[in-house]
Amino acid sequence: MSNYIIRLEEKKDYREVENLVRESFWNVYRPGCSEHYVIHMLRDDPAFVPELDFVMEQDGRLIGQNMFMKTVIEADDGREIPVLTMGPIGITPELKRKGYGKELLDYCLEKATEMGFGAVLFEGNIGFYSHCGFDYASKFGIRYHDLPEDADSSFFLCRELIPGYLDDVTGVYQTPQGYYVKDEDVEEFDKQFPPKEKKKLPGQLFD
Ligand SMILES: CC(C)(COP(=O)(O)OP(=O)(O)OC[C@H]1O[C@@H](n2cnc3c(N)ncnc32)[C@H](O)[C@@H]1OP(=O)(O)O)[C@@H](O)C(=O)NCCC(=O)NCCS
């Protein structure tokens, strides 16, 4: 890892970042991917946090990105607890597993902490996120929306930014609506990018 900077995303970066995210997620979780369209839409969402919309740049090209959204935990005692959710986060394919993702995420979390946010929750693989201080959200007493009680929730992760922020909270986390996109809209948007083959691969979570 060398010679990189982390900075806020600018308008001029939008298409390069969308292409980066497309390359990064392509065929990883499903044949093709939807994340480039998701970020295209999220930037205009009222829950989007522009102060935490970061890109990683090396030798004049973008090699990573991450973004955050505001959401809430609907607490069992009736309160709404403001929290952040995160992603998509992506590193360009040829630089994966070299430490850039952890570097970028640690930086973003530091900035989110400085802004005063209390906790970050999202869906992800503990294998990577445990390196940045995340644990299973169930350990914090937070449940994932629409998930039966006996279902596996190990994909649902949490990190407090303010220690003890969730100490007296149990409740249900809500994924911001902006993350839900229609397959046909993704298909249409994807036509703006260079053709790329969709493949069914082992380990994908969705058809
Ligand atoms: C996930 C991602 C952002 C991680 O960034 P990265 O630069 O590749 O990861 P790092 O090199 O910083 O990883 C640090 C450690 O986390 C763990 N890790 C990284 N990626 C992992 C993965 N996909 N599964 C399990 N553990 C992982 C490893 O222990 C790694 O250390 P090691 O390589 O020495 O074993 C990047 O691989 C990526 O863009 N993947 C495709 C898109 C994606 O899945 N995004 C996340 C959606 S939730």
Side-chain angles (χ1 to χ4, degrees), residues 108-124:
C108 294
L109 294 171
E110 198 182 303
K111 294 293 166 196
T113 307
E114 283 171 15
M115 285 181 74
F117 288 105
V120 186
L121 297 98
F122 58 89
E123 306 88 342

Side-chain angles (χ1 to χ4, degrees), residues 1 20-21 23-26 28-29 35 56 63-65 86-93 95-105 122-132 155 157:
M1 275 205 308
L20 164 71
V21 167
E23 294 294 326
S24 172
F25 280 81
W26 195 258
V28 174
Y29 296 103
E35 283 77 4
M56 205 170 201
I63 60 164
Q65 66 66 234
M86 199 194 88
I89 177 172
I91 296 294
T92 194
L95 293 179
K96 282 180 189 170
R97 301 300 285 261
K98 294 186 188 304
Y100 289 100
K102 177 175 160 33
E103 209 59 31
L104 174 62
L105 183 49
F122 58 89
E123 306 88 342
N125 181 333
I126 191 75
F128 170 58
Y129 294 104
S130 62
H131 293 271
C132 297
F155 64 88
L157 309 180

